[in-house]
Amino acid sequence: MHIMEGFLPHPWWEIWFAISAVIVIFGIYKLSKLTKKFPEAKPLLAVMGAFIFVLSALKLPSVTGSCSHPTGSGLAAVVLGPAIASVLSTIVLLFQALLLAHGGLTTLGANIFSMGIVGPFVGYALWIASKKARVPTSAGVFLAVALADLSTYVTTSVQLALAFPGTSFADSFITFGSIFAVTQIPLAIGEGILAIFLFDFLAKYKGKLLSSMNVIGLRVGSQSSEDAE
Amino acid sequence: MLFRLEHLSHCYSDGTLALNDVTLDFAKGERIALLGTNGSGKTTLLHHLNGILKPTSGRVYFEDEPLKYDSKSLLDLRRKVGFVFQDPNDQLFAPTVKQDVAFGPLNLGQPVEQVKRVADEALRTVGMAEYAEKPPHFLSLGQKKRVALAGVLAMQPQVLIMDEPTSNLDPRATSEILHLLLRLNKEYKITLILATHDVDMVPLFAKKLYILSKGKLVSEGSPEELFANAELIRSVSLRSPRIAHLFEVLKKEDNLPINPRFPLTISEARKEILRLLGYRNENEEKETSNR
Amino acid sequence: MSHVKLSAEIDRYAYTNALSKSSPTTKLFLALSLLLLSVMSPSPIVPISIFLTSTVLLLSFAKIPCRFYLRLLWYPIIIVAVTCVIIAFFFGYQEPFTEVNLLGLKWTVFKDGITLGFTTFFRVLGALSSQFFLVLTTPMTSIILILRKARVPKVLIETSLLIYRYIFVFSEVMETMHIAQDLRLGYSGWLKKLRSMSMLIGNLFIRTLEQGERTFTAMNARGYDGNIRVLEDQPKPSKTALAAITLFTVALAIAAYLTMNIRIV
């Protein structure tokens, strides 16, 4: 769910740019430390970014018959951690704006915040929490991915309601939220189920995944696939 | 010797023994082919020549010096020993053809003007100059292979290593690549080492042939010598070139008095047929050197 | 899969349009100026003139086929039109304009709502058309190189260069796999679709990791040391063009200021 180019008025697009910049700059700092230590991380992260882009261009069948696409940010967060996921999302969103005319340049900041920061962060937190609570893996995956999706759309609604408050912020939020809910709730469920299948599939290739993840020195990623058993 | 491998073994982290005690020499200026089935260890062997892989045991010598694996020595080695990968998509990573070709020379620390010059020249050599500003995804596979080759040539190597240079190419692109390689060997005196399982291509290209099977060096010699030994060829799950096979059948099934060294290429076959038919070719001496 | 094809088409136009040889810096400067003017403009007059400018530049100077431009434009236009109608109906509260009978209910439409809806619609239209101007006339490569010159952090630039390349490699792989699955009827039924799709994505992911390793190896073989060096070989921007754009931008900015208080109703 991207906010279209030009939709956010001044000063809101600048505000979201500023907020996202702080987090993305932190991510860039972490990323350059990582790539200095492991030169092989650069091509590996790049192919992951390309993967997220291609994934986002994939149409996901949804129950209502309308089509939308998976965000992939949940997966990226679980594998890479939210900070680096936010940097990759930034690049992917820029490519979507420039190569698909999908989402915009002035709205980039707002879209990074909802898709590249809130979504991954919520997904990641739920993933960790569900493992602590010993929830079955498939339920944990479903919750993390579906709620990462939903949190992205709630954030987008908040962003729009702040920019177009009308009589009151709450009314406006409910209006935007209920419009999106029609497409986004079935989509989130779809992507959640998809993630369960995907996780099953990837678990079979654990060895390969583990070695690649260790290459980029991400203990979080390797632990999570270990615990998946 | 240009390269010397001494008791080279390589074991991957998953436990596969890909190379098992291989000892061999490669001479300078030679056209060398490594022949073997998929999984015979050809690629693993090639990866040792340019320092991509370190031997698990054994040693690699380049110009009589053992390879060192610190980054400076490796950069030095890679300037002299170029490697063209089997899948050009692995190699072409830059957004335009010219950017990709310039990557190697820039890494060697050459000044920008010189890099531009060598990149253009390399693209001209492979016949891709007009595509310099295009992104690689606009090209066909054959064109991509040529660009990948240009990217290595731009580093002006003495040795060119190619992994399956003709795989998946159509006949025309195959013959273009082959002619290009022969020209590089002749004009620039570049030593060529290539891995392949294309037995029909080998006699057209190689002066020296090494046969690998299951990680071991099975045999070495000229293509004529090795392909004459049909038993050996079959034991490693390969076959003779089509032409040699035809003559083998003619000899075995029809008892024609054919030379035990079967012809491997069209020009050799032509000579043998003319001999059988009793024609005498006046230019025979000349043609032998022309193959 | 149509999105993947769309990116390939946009990419092709960026390299082949009639303006592809002119300085990318000039085009980026023009596009960003128009974009910012559209977004900052308080009234619809300036965005409308920006929309017309970009459209003329795209169709008659860059020679982008009209059909393709419309195809890009119609989908966002419909979405934004619907949204703006909603804004017009529900978001005003100051001066009643008219009442509408809808679904048996009486809705009051306010003047400020209508103004907001209109302004937003044209602001998006102006901004979209300037975005399309950039996207369809300037190759991604040039944009990345300009960002590099603008001192965007190196990691970001280098990763972007690689991502650009591999987007097209993976799109091809994905399309092939998708066709292969489709032929074996992997896409009949909703749950089956999701399962097939998850396998496709999983396979692609594994391929991705392998590709990352192989690319690293191949880069190593050509002396990669952790820095991706690139040639800079771009046409220089002409000072006259930059000055003309600045002048045009300033004129539009003044127009935006003068038309600030125009109300639609």
Side-chain angles (χ1 to χ4, degrees):
Chain A
M1 198 71 236
H2 297 352
I3 302 179
M4 208 175 290
E5 181 60 271
F7 201 77
L8 281 185
H10 161 82
W12 287 105
W13 64 268
E14 295 102 312
I15 291 175
W16 293 114
F17 249 109
I19 295 174
S20 295
V22 176
I23 293 150
V24 172
I25 286 170
F26 175 69
I28 291 174
Y29 165 75
K30 282 196 83 170
L31 187 59
S32 42
K33 251 180 46 186
L34 184 75
T35 51
K36 272 207 189 88
K37 214 163 152 199
F38 305 96
E40 57 270 55
K42 224 176 263 179
L44 202 55
L45 288 167
V47 289
M48 281 192 173
F51 172 75
I52 296 177
F53 180 93
V54 174
L55 201 63
S56 76
L58 200 70
K59 283 184 189 162
L60 193 71
S62 96
V63 199
T64 52
S66 72
C67 267
S68 200
H69 40 256
T71 56
S73 53
L75 186 70
V78 168
V79 176
L80 300 167
I84 291 177
S86 77
V87 182
L88 273 192
S89 303
T90 303
I91 303 179
V92 171
L93 283 165
L94 184 68
F95 272 71
Q96 287 177 336
L98 294 176
L99 220 48
L100 278 174
H102 194 70
L105 295 174
T106 59
T107 52
L108 193 61
N111 288 331
I112 291 172
F113 189 75
S114 65
M115 264 195 61
I117 295 171
V118 174
F121 187 80
V122 168
Y124 186 72
L126 278 171
W127 170 245
I128 301 289
S130 74
K131 274 195 308 176
K132 282 232 172 86
R134 307 208 164 273
V135 175
T137 311
S138 46
V141 171
F142 177 81
L143 280 178
V145 171
L147 290 177
D149 242 30
L150 288 181
S151 67
T152 298
Y153 114 78
V154 170
T155 310
T156 307
S157 307
V158 168
Q159 288 170 332
L160 290 176
L162 283 170
F164 298 95
T167 38
S168 78
F169 167 77
D171 282 353
S172 166
F173 173 71
I174 290 168
T175 313
F176 282 116
S178 41
I179 296 171
F180 290 156
V182 180
T183 56
Q184 293 301 306
I185 290 177
L187 182 67
I189 294 171
E191 194 172 339
I193 296 174
L194 187 90
I196 297 175
F197 288 147
L198 183 60
F199 212 85
D200 254 16
F201 182 88
L202 291 179
K204 288 181 196 143
Y205 290 83
K206 200 177 121 244
K208 179 94 207 161
L209 271 178
L210 269 176
S211 62
S212 301
M213 289 308 121
N214 282 335
V215 164
I216 22 180
L218 296 166
R219 272 177 305 127
V220 193
S222 56
Q223 265 172 6
S224 46
S225 35
E226 223 158 44
D227 293 353
E229 291 210 325
Chain B
M1 270 302 142
L2 185 70
F3 273 108
R4 179 169 174 71
L5 309 184
E6 256 178 30
H7 303 292
L8 180 68
S9 294
H10 191 90
C11 191
Y12 283 107
S13 54
D14 63 356
T16 339
L17 186 62
L19 280 181
N20 189 356
D21 195 21
V22 172
T23 300
L24 53 77
D25 294 318
F26 291 146
K28 206 170 178 157
E30 197 68 278
R31 299 198 304 260
I32 298 154
L34 302 180
L35 186 63
T37 53
N38 297 326
S40 59
K42 298 170 302 216
T43 303
T44 310
L45 194 154
L46 293 185
H47 280 183
H48 281 88
L49 301 179
N50 162 288
I52 296 169
L53 288 178
K54 270 192 209 177
T56 310
S57 65
R59 277 215 157 152
V60 181
Y61 295 87
F62 175 64
E63 292 178 328
D64 302 319
E65 296 278 332
L67 285 197
K68 286 194 227 98
Y69 295 90
D70 61 290
S71 54
K72 204 191 153 297
S73 318
L74 279 180
L75 192 63
D76 217 40
L77 174 71
R78 282 160 185 172
R79 167 169 35 221
K80 294 175 187 157
V81 183
F83 198 115
V84 182
F85 285 76
Q86 177 176 0
D87 182 353
N89 279 337
D90 294 350
Q91 199 173 327
L92 306 181
F93 71 90
T96 67
V97 165
K98 193 169 177 180
Q99 290 285 2
D100 202 276
V101 176
F103 177 71
L106 284 171
N107 285 337
L108 297 177
Q110 297 175 357
V112 176
E113 285 314 307
Q114 191 187 339
V115 171
K116 280 183 190 163
R117 217 182 48 238
V118 291
D120 286 336
E121 196 186 304
L123 281 172
R124 267 200 303 280
T125 309
V126 301
M128 289 296 291
E130 55 183 310
Y131 294 91
E133 302 304 328
K134 294 273 180 310
H137 54 265
F138 284 14
L139 309 181
S140 71
L141 183 70
Q143 291 173 324
K144 279 185 201 166
K145 282 229 178 193
R146 282 195 273 164
V147 172
L149 179 57
V152 172
L153 286 180
M155 296 174 81
Q156 296 167 321
Q158 303 165 11
V159 187
L160 189 62
I161 301 172
M162 290 187 92
D163 196 358
E164 302 282 2
T166 58
S167 63
N168 292 328
L169 292 186
D170 58 45
R172 188 178 167 165
T174 304
S175 102
E176 277 170 2
I177 286 268
L178 272 183
H179 280 104
L180 184 59
L181 290 178
L182 293 177
R183 208 178 86 214
L184 291 173
N185 176 253
K186 226 178 188 169
E187 284 176 24
Y188 301 91
K189 305 278 173 274
I190 296 178
T191 310
L192 294 173
I193 305 173
L194 56 85
T196 185
H197 54 239
D198 183 349
V199 286
D200 292 307
M201 188 262 280
V202 167
L204 292 171
F205 164 82
K207 279 272 179 65
K208 188 92 200 262
L209 181 60
Y210 295 80
I211 295 181
L212 290 173
S213 175
K214 294 173 188 154
K216 280 189 176 263
L217 178 65
V218 180
S219 190
E220 59 175 281
S222 70
E224 292 82 4
E225 276 165 21
L226 297 192
F227 282 121
N229 187 348
E231 232 166 87
L232 165 83
I233 299 291
R234 259 166 225 142
S235 73
V236 294
S237 311
L238 291 166
R239 62 165 174 83
S240 301
R242 294 273 182 224
I243 290 171
H245 193 207
L246 171 67
F247 280 85
E248 194 189 333
V249 173
L250 284 172
K251 188 183 171 103
K252 266 198 190 144
E253 306 291 323
D254 306 311
N255 297 317
L256 287 183
I258 286 165
N259 231 324
R261 270 202 187 174
F262 300 121
L264 303 175
T265 62
I266 290 186
S267 69
E268 285 172 3
R270 176 172 155 234
K271 243 178 290 159
E272 183 69 9
I273 292 172
L274 290 174
R275 190 185 65 79
L276 286 170
L277 292 175
Y279 282 76
R280 267 203 64 83
N281 192 332
E282 289 159 16
N283 295 327
E284 200 168 325
E285 299 308 308
K286 246 186 209 167
E287 290 226 350
T288 328
S289 55
N290 262 350
R291 185 175 58 77
Chain C
M1 299 289 125
S2 71
H3 279 321
V4 178
K5 283 192 187 131
L6 182 65
S7 62
E9 265 178 279
I10 291 179
D11 186 62
R12 198 167 278 270
Y13 280 119
Y15 281 93
T16 54
N17 73 88
L19 291 177
S20 64
K21 295 279 180 295
S22 46
S23 149
T25 316
T26 314
K27 286 180 286 192
L28 184 67
F29 181 54
L30 176 64
L32 288 185
S33 312
L34 295 182
L35 186 58
L36 287 182
L37 270 172
S38 297
V39 177
M40 301 306 266
S41 172
S43 82
I45 308 291
V46 170
I48 289 175
S49 42
I50 286 172
F51 171 70
L52 294 175
T53 312
S54 312
T55 305
V56 168
L57 283 175
L58 272 174
L59 298 185
S60 46
F61 286 85
K63 303 259 190 289
I64 300 293
C66 193
R67 273 180 67 111
F68 186 72
Y69 181 56
L70 288 178
R71 213 182 98 200
L72 277 186
L73 211 54
W74 78 266
Y75 180 66
I77 280 191
I78 287 177
I79 292 184
V80 94
V82 171
T83 320
C84 290
V85 168
I86 292 169
I87 289 176
F89 269 55
F90 296 105
F91 286 69
Y93 53 92
Q94 283 165 359
E95 257 179 89
F97 172 63
T98 176
E99 288 191 343
V100 190
N101 272 314
L102 201 70
L103 306 168
L105 287 169
K106 258 192 187 163
W107 301 90
T108 315
V109 181
F110 295 91
K111 283 188 177 174
D112 57 326
I114 291 186
T115 306
L116 185 63
F118 262 99
T119 317
T120 308
F121 179 78
F122 286 109
R123 194 177 63 224
V124 173
L125 202 59
L128 270 180
S129 63
S130 3
Q131 184 192 6
F132 290 167
F133 172 75
L134 179 68
V135 166
L136 290 173
T137 62
T138 318
M140 198 68 195
T141 334
S142 312
I143 297 179
I144 297 175
L145 289 181
I146 293 173
L147 290 178
R148 181 167 172 270
K149 255 199 173 152
R151 311 261 158 151
V152 170
K154 227 170 58 181
V155 196
L156 225 51
I157 298 298
E158 296 180 350
T159 323
S160 306
L161 284 168
L162 284 164
I163 288 181
Y164 174 65
R165 171 73 187 109
Y166 282 102
I167 280 175
F168 294 96
V169 174
F170 295 150
S171 304
E172 240 171 72
V173 173
M174 192 173 73
E175 220 158 317
T176 322
M177 292 200 298
H178 183 257
I179 292 170
Q181 281 187 329
D182 212 6
L183 288 177
R184 287 175 290 161
L185 301 176
Y187 284 92
S188 47
W190 184 70
L191 213 59
K192 236 190 198 167
K193 259 186 208 169
L194 280 182
R195 185 182 278 281
S196 300
M197 196 168 258
S198 72
M199 274 159 61
L200 179 104
I201 294 172
N203 266 319
L204 189 66
F205 186 64
I206 303 222
R207 286 250 200 141
T208 305
L209 295 178
E210 288 168 355
Q211 180 72 69
E213 274 170 39
R214 289 203 308 267
T215 302
F216 176 63
T217 310
M219 286 164 77
N220 263 341
R222 283 196 287 162
Y224 173 63
D225 58 359
N227 295 304
I228 299 174
R229 300 174 179 83
V230 279
L231 270 183
E232 270 170 78
D233 210 8
Q234 301 228 57
K236 291 246 162 10
S238 99
K239 289 217 172 78
T240 336
L242 291 183
I245 294 169
T246 314
L247 215 64
F248 183 60
T249 310
V250 171
L252 280 179
I254 293 170
Y257 182 76
L258 293 178
T259 56
M260 191 160 75
N261 294 317
I262 285 185
R263 292 283 171 266
I264 306 288
V265 283

